[in-house]
Amino acid sequence: MGHRAGRDDRISTHVGLTARQWGADEVVYSGEEDSNMIESQEDIIERWGGDMEIRYTEEWKKEIRDFEGLKVHLTMYGLEINEEMKEIKKEFESSDDILIIVGAEKVPRWVYTHVDYNISVGNQPHSEIAALAVFMDRLNDGEMKKDFSDADIKVDPSEDRKITEEL
Amino acid sequence: MGHRAGRDDRISTHVGLTARQWGADEVVYSGEEDSNMIESQEDIIERWGGDMEIRYTEEWKKEIRDFEGLKVHLTMYGLEINEEMKEIKKEFESSDDILIIVGAEKVPRWVYTHVDYNISVGNQPHSEIAALAVFMDRLNDGEMKKDFSDADIKVDPSEDRKITEEL
């Protein structure tokens, strides 16, 4: 939420890459419309594979309201992840889907009152990228997505160098 | 490593905040010297507490070479965190200190060969902030730093609103 073209390009791209890494199906941006930022992520997906969708919406309230599944907003003001994660995981298992919301500093109060949980990954000035990564990592018991369909390239994990393989 | 003034301000600030959240004693930046970025983080620490030091170094090779303790470089090309974490945690316990290195895309080969581990948090195009957060979260068994000395302000965790307390 609250993407600002130019200023937030790299932060928003990191949010998208993080979501992809832990297996998100879709990333939805709101704030300023920014087709450059979205296209640069689509280029990465094109090359590295997977079928994560990326899109922009102006109607973020509708997006949140209409979402069927668990809705979690990550914010430094929320309840502590270590207290709430057990319950969230249980609800996630019985729900079919989860919407995870991260935003810039000024997320409107409306969001806080229209989600199932406001969760903090540390009640300190924080990085929404770090919060998203740790939340998704714990939600998935430390398992990252491994198979990205139709990739043109992949990494061969190495002890001490960069090795990639064209596919 | 490889901070670029202007372009990387927000990314580098997120790296610092993430390190602080999981209890780093010190954050050292290399790349372009950027006192604005460092000062803005010092302002956050001044207000939110804690005694994490932030500084710049031009001599990143010396920094890495002279560090006494475990040296881990987080990179998408490294060995998988899920395979290596158990061993790293064991070594961390017997070592007194750990240096965690993250950088922009073009981290020099020298780094890969002068650390104890090159570790990937997902062998995919990744966010160094996400990698740092997840690595530190796992290293600390999910415990974040709670007590920040001399804070002027703190959050009272809330279900549905922003509550802060001046101290």
Side-chain angles (χ1 to χ4, degrees):
Chain A
M1 290 195 59
H3 172 79
R4 293 160 301 180
R7 187 164 145 82
D8 288 337
D9 281 12
R10 301 196 58 226
I11 295 289
S12 295
T13 299
H14 280 225
V15 166
L17 292 178
T18 299
R20 177 176 177 273
Q21 195 123 316
W22 275 273
D25 299 314
E26 191 176 47
V27 180
V28 185
Y29 290 95
S30 67
E32 291 175 22
E33 193 160 7
D34 185 353
S35 50
N36 284 348
M37 185 270 292
I38 287 181
E39 275 163 30
S40 89
Q41 280 190 66
E42 282 169 343
D43 289 347
I44 294 172
I45 294 174
E46 177 73 24
R47 186 156 161 71
W48 288 88
D51 46 16
M52 189 175 82
E53 297 286 337
I54 307 181
R55 63 183 168 84
Y56 169 78
T57 185
E58 205 172 347
E59 299 181 279
W60 54 269
K61 279 192 183 177
K62 186 175 183 314
E63 199 73 43
I64 294 171
R65 205 188 284 114
D66 292 356
F67 182 82
E68 291 173 18
L70 194 60
K71 305 171 197 184
V72 177
H73 171 219
L74 301 178
T75 163
M76 64 180 275
Y77 300 102
L79 299 177
E80 292 173 25
I81 186 172
N82 287 348
E83 306 288 326
E84 305 297 325
M85 203 63 203
K86 212 167 148 182
E87 196 181 311
I88 291 176
K89 280 174 87 161
K90 223 166 69 185
E91 288 198 36
F92 176 51
E93 275 160 34
S94 67
S95 172
D96 259 356
D97 212 350
I98 187 167
L99 173 68
I100 305 170
I101 302 166
V102 295
E105 259 175 65
K106 306 212 171 174
V107 172
R109 180 78 206 289
W110 190 95
V111 175
Y112 287 77
T113 56
H114 287 76
V115 294
D116 299 304
Y117 291 92
N118 290 283
I119 295 296
S120 76
V121 179
N123 292 114
Q124 292 288 325
H126 86 318
S127 162
E128 56 268 33
I129 302 162
L132 179 64
V134 166
F135 184 84
M136 290 189 85
D137 191 52
R138 295 202 192 175
L139 192 69
N140 293 295
D141 296 315
E143 288 304 319
M144 277 158 268
K145 185 172 164 76
K146 291 237 165 177
D147 296 311
F148 290 89
S149 55
D150 297 322
D152 297 335
I153 187 171
K154 76 180 194 66
V155 166
D156 285 338
S158 161
E159 247 178 69
D160 63 357
R161 66 196 68 205
K162 300 179 185 180
I163 309 174
T164 54
E165 204 180 310
E166 301 286 333
L167 300 171
Chain B
M1 290 194 59
H3 172 78
R4 293 160 300 180
R7 187 165 146 82
D8 288 337
D9 281 12
R10 302 197 57 225
I11 295 288
S12 295
T13 298
H14 280 226
V15 166
L17 291 178
T18 299
R20 178 176 175 273
Q21 195 124 316
W22 276 271
D25 298 315
E26 190 175 48
V27 180
V28 185
Y29 290 95
S30 67
E32 291 175 22
E33 192 159 8
D34 183 353
S35 50
N36 284 348
M37 186 270 292
I38 287 181
E39 275 163 30
S40 87
Q41 280 190 67
E42 282 168 343
D43 289 348
I44 294 172
I45 294 175
E46 177 72 23
R47 185 156 161 71
W48 288 88
D51 47 14
M52 188 175 82
E53 297 286 338
I54 307 182
R55 63 182 167 85
Y56 169 79
T57 185
E58 205 171 349
E59 298 181 280
W60 53 270
K61 280 192 182 177
K62 187 174 182 315
E63 200 72 43
I64 295 171
R65 204 189 284 113
D66 291 356
F67 182 82
E68 291 173 17
L70 194 60
K71 304 171 198 185
V72 177
H73 170 220
L74 301 179
T75 162
M76 63 179 276
Y77 302 101
L79 297 177
E80 293 173 26
I81 186 172
N82 287 349
E83 306 288 326
E84 306 297 324
M85 203 64 204
K86 211 167 148 182
E87 195 181 314
I88 291 176
K89 280 175 88 162
K90 223 166 69 186
E91 287 198 37
F92 177 51
E93 275 159 34
S94 67
S95 172
D96 259 355
D97 213 351
I98 187 167
L99 174 67
I100 305 171
I101 302 166
V102 295
E105 259 176 65
K106 307 212 172 177
V107 172
R109 180 79 207 287
W110 189 95
V111 175
Y112 287 77
T113 57
H114 286 77
V115 294
D116 299 305
Y117 291 93
N118 290 284
I119 295 296
S120 75
V121 179
N123 292 114
Q124 291 289 324
H126 85 319
S127 161
E128 56 267 32
I129 301 161
L132 179 64
V134 166
F135 184 85
M136 290 188 85
D137 190 52
R138 296 202 193 175
L139 192 70
N140 293 295
D141 297 316
E143 287 305 319
M144 278 159 267
K145 185 172 164 76
K146 292 236 165 180
D147 298 310
F148 291 88
S149 55
D150 297 322
D152 297 335
I153 186 170
K154 78 178 190 67
V155 167
D156 286 337
S158 161
E159 248 177 68
D160 63 357
R161 67 197 68 205
K162 301 179 185 181
I163 308 173
T164 55
E165 204 180 312
E166 300 287 333
L167 299 171

